[in-house]
Amino acid sequence: NAGVTQTPKFQVLKTGQSMTLQCAQDMNHNSMYWYRQDPGMGLRLIYYSASEGTTDKGEVPNGYNVSRLNKREFSLRLESAAPSQTSVYFCASSKTGDWSTEAFFGQGTRLTVV
Amino acid sequence: GNSVTQMEGPVTLSEEAFLTINCTYTATGYPSLFWYVQYPGEGLQLLLKATKADDKGSNKGFEATYRKETTSFHLEKGSVQVSDSAVYFCALGSGGSYIPTFGRGTSLIVHP
């Protein structure tokens, strides 16, 4: 039972480069989320997808785009990376979007922008 | 709007000490409350949850009781182990909202 799988686990980018973070879940969950985690800031929501075919901005969406490719996959794209986007990124999913049930998290992607 | 406030860390304890990590919240309606744990280098995983007032969530020796009158969900453990060293997040999910609310996390360090 894989749960939520993120790739890559580590990435170093140069300023201005682009990349896509991949996330897939095998639990048939409806809702998926992208967070970033920075020291002293806790978790901040970047984008979420309440259900297949929908996406919405979270707390810190600037500089990011997302695609809900199908029910399983939710990708996060950085079009032109900046040092301020150095962070640990987590994908999460939940069965129901109202968070009355638990969320499952991936292992994280540690991104450094130089 | 919804918010979650956790005590700031790090919390440093000796093995077998009693642990309390405070969590208070503000929310409309009747939220579900969660504690998540993040071990070094890993993602978050659910530790315990409570979905209505006076419910007690428990797992791995940890407990937390949903107190509506004090809007609190404090995490407790009677005897911590070195392996409990991690970051603990309090969170709430409000019915009808797709955006959960997390506290900033409390780092726990347990020394032998």
Side-chain angles (χ1 to χ4, degrees):
Chain A
N1 186 2
V4 178
T5 302
Q6 289 182 235
T7 55
K9 287 185 170 51
F10 301 92
Q11 184 70 50
V12 178
L13 288 179
K14 294 182 179 178
T15 298
Q17 287 185 317
S18 62
M19 79 162 293
T20 299
L21 282 63
Q22 307 287 354
C23 175
Q25 51 90 10
D26 62 1
M27 296 170 283
N28 201 35
H29 284 173
N30 291 309
S31 300
M32 298 184 74
Y33 306 81
W34 276 106
Y35 289 91
R36 59 178 288 172
Q37 184 179 30
D38 302 292
M41 300 295 291
L43 288 171
R44 293 185 291 172
L45 183 66
I46 304 171
Y47 270 93
Y48 67 101
S49 172
S51 60
E52 186 179 358
T54 69
T55 61
D56 284 284
K57 295 178 180 179
E59 183 183 356
V60 289
N62 291 344
Y64 306 95
N65 285 299
V66 291
S67 296
R68 183 76 182 265
L69 303 170
N70 47 55
K71 192 171 186 179
R72 290 187 63 247
E73 298 173 287
F74 188 40
S75 63
L76 178 71
R77 183 160 178 84
L78 286 69
E79 291 291 351
S80 179
S84 60
Q85 294 178 305
T86 293
S87 188
V88 182
Y89 292 85
F90 289 100
C91 178
S93 71
S94 65
K95 184 175 181 180
T96 60
D98 67 2
W99 273 71
S100 60
T101 57
E102 69 181 280
F104 292 80
F105 284 79
Q107 294 280 71
T109 296
R110 283 148 184 81
L111 175 67
T112 302
V113 183
V114 298
Chain B
N2 297 339
S3 69
V4 173
T5 303
Q6 288 181 238
M7 60 189 293
E8 291 195 17
V11 173
T12 304
L13 295 172
S14 297
E15 203 164 29
E16 299 184 3
F18 184 85
L19 168 71
T20 299
I21 299 177
N22 291 338
C23 171
T24 57
Y25 68 90
T26 57
T28 54
Y30 301 94
S32 295
L33 300 174
F34 307 86
W35 276 102
Y36 284 83
V37 59
Q38 183 181 30
Y39 297 105
E42 298 185 9
L44 280 71
Q45 55 186 277
L46 181 70
L47 180 60
L48 53 84
K49 68 178 183 181
T51 58
K52 61 184 188 295
D54 299 325
D55 268 2
K56 177 186 283 188
S58 61
N59 186 25
K60 299 181 181 180
F62 291 89
E63 293 182 340
T65 300
Y66 187 162
R67 300 286 188 201
K68 193 170 188 300
E69 64 277 11
T70 55
T71 62
S72 65
F73 193 54
H74 305 321
L75 182 67
E76 296 182 336
K77 187 176 186 183
S79 176
V80 294
Q81 306 299 312
V82 172
S83 57
D84 293 327
S85 298
V87 180
Y88 293 81
F89 292 89
C90 186
L92 72 83
S94 184
S97 170
Y98 290 100
I99 303 179
T101 304
F102 281 88
R104 292 197 168 190
T106 302
S107 175
L108 170 65
I109 301 168
V110 181
H111 294 295

